[in-house]
Amino acid sequence: MFWIINDNIKFYPEQNKLVSVTNSELSAVLTSPASRCLSLLLESYPQVVTQKTFFTSVWAEDGMLVPANTLYQNISIIRRGLKTVGETDETLISTVPRKGFQISSSVRVVRVDVQEDALHAPDTSAIEAEPSGSTADAPTIEPVTTPASESVWQRYPRVIPLLMMLLSLGLGLSLFQLPWHRAADKDFFTGYTISKIENGCHFYTWNDDIKKFGNFTKYRNMILQTGLDCEKYPWVYFLSSSSAPALSAFICPEPYETPSSSGCITLYFRWSKR
């Protein structure tokens, strides 16, 4: 299932993803805690979701105890994602003082079950073959055959060498490209070194670039404050350099070895200029 928010934003809870209805290339990936917070807000719409409910459903069930600031940061992540994908400055999530948060009643929220698409699919089982006419009405087709003494290969003697040449060329190209593809997959994070292991999280940086310039502790704390569960996502790769105006991190449930590895998500932080 997925949700449609204000007719212009799709939210896929299982993928932690927001996608524009009108522009599929415009999307944002939320952190896992932020995605679960948004799911609570949508399921409770238009009622208020208390802070206690957030802490219990999002973190306590995984054995995590986090400060209130962690909740505020994840709500902020949701708001930025909704504004970016929805291309609007409208406040979709309201803060209810001393209580919690809620999706504004003016916002349109629709839950869509994927199974509904199947209900509108054409029913091909009702299509039956038309009865065939009588043999008298059917045209007579006489097969064209070659003489028994002359096969296709004999009539076209150059076909076999040409087919063999094409087959050899295709096989050669496949064998030539295979090592390159394997090397590219295997060496995706070549040059990354582990900077620190903390609470089960393994932090990797590009040749210790971030650690060398003293930004490692700052960036590590930013990621941990999102409520990252190091048991579920123990592998953290810093994709940004020390000179970048933003921080990107790739977090995975297992060491990232090939692009086919699944379950990884991206965290993105961009600080405003003052």
Side-chain angles (χ1 to χ4, degrees), residues 60-244:
E61 290 183 357
D62 293 332
M64 299 177 63
L65 182 62
V66 298
N69 188 45
T70 298
L71 171 60
Y72 301 148
Q73 288 178 345
N74 280 278
I75 294 297
S76 179
I77 291 173
I78 298 172
R79 284 171 170 164
R80 288 199 301 270
L82 292 173
K83 287 186 177 182
T84 299
V85 176
E87 299 181 293
T88 177
D89 291 329
E90 181 182 355
T91 301
L92 304 182
I93 298 178
S94 302
T95 301
V96 182
R98 300 184 181 181
K99 289 186 178 182
F101 301 91
Q102 70 177 148
I103 295 181
S104 304
S105 58
S106 60
V107 177
R108 294 175 298 281
V109 173
V110 178
R111 175 186 171 121
V112 180
D113 292 324
V114 178
Q115 293 178 350
E116 290 184 2
D117 295 339
L119 296 178
H120 300 289
D123 185 5
T124 56
S125 62
I127 300 176
E128 299 180 357
E130 295 182 358
S132 59
S134 63
T135 56
D137 297 334
T140 302
I141 301 177
E142 297 181 356
V144 178
T145 60
T146 58
S149 59
E150 183 180 10
S151 65
V152 175
W153 307 113
Q154 290 174 329
R155 294 181 62 188
Y156 304 99
R158 296 184 181 181
V159 171
I160 294 179
L162 180 60
L163 289 177
M164 293 298 294
M165 182 177 66
L166 292 175
L167 182 61
S168 300
L169 179 61
L171 181 60
L173 289 174
S174 300
L175 293 176
F176 177 76
Q177 293 179 358
L178 184 59
W180 292 96
H181 287 299
R182 288 184 175 178
D185 291 347
K186 182 178 180 181
D187 300 335
F188 188 82
F189 279 111
T190 297
Y192 277 71
T193 56
I194 189 165
S195 296
K196 189 170 185 179
I197 300 177
E198 182 175 342
N199 297 330
C201 274
H202 300 65
F203 295 92
Y204 284 83
T205 63
W206 171 257
N207 286 328
D208 274 345
D209 171 73
I210 293 177
K211 188 175 182 180
K212 185 187 304 180
F213 288 90
N215 291 327
F216 174 76
T217 300
K218 172 185 174 182
Y219 291 170
R220 179 202 61 196
N221 290 339
M222 289 174 63
I223 290 178
L224 291 177
Q225 286 174 0
T226 64
L228 173 66
D229 187 347
C230 290
E231 293 185 0
K232 292 184 177 180
Y233 297 96
W235 307 93
V236 182
Y237 300 89
F238 289 100
L239 303 180
S240 304
S241 65
S242 58
S243 59

Side-chain angles (χ1 to χ4, degrees), residues 10 24 27 41 60 107 124 182 253:
K10 288 184 179 180
S24 59
S27 63
L41 288 166
V107 177
T124 56
R182 288 184 175 178

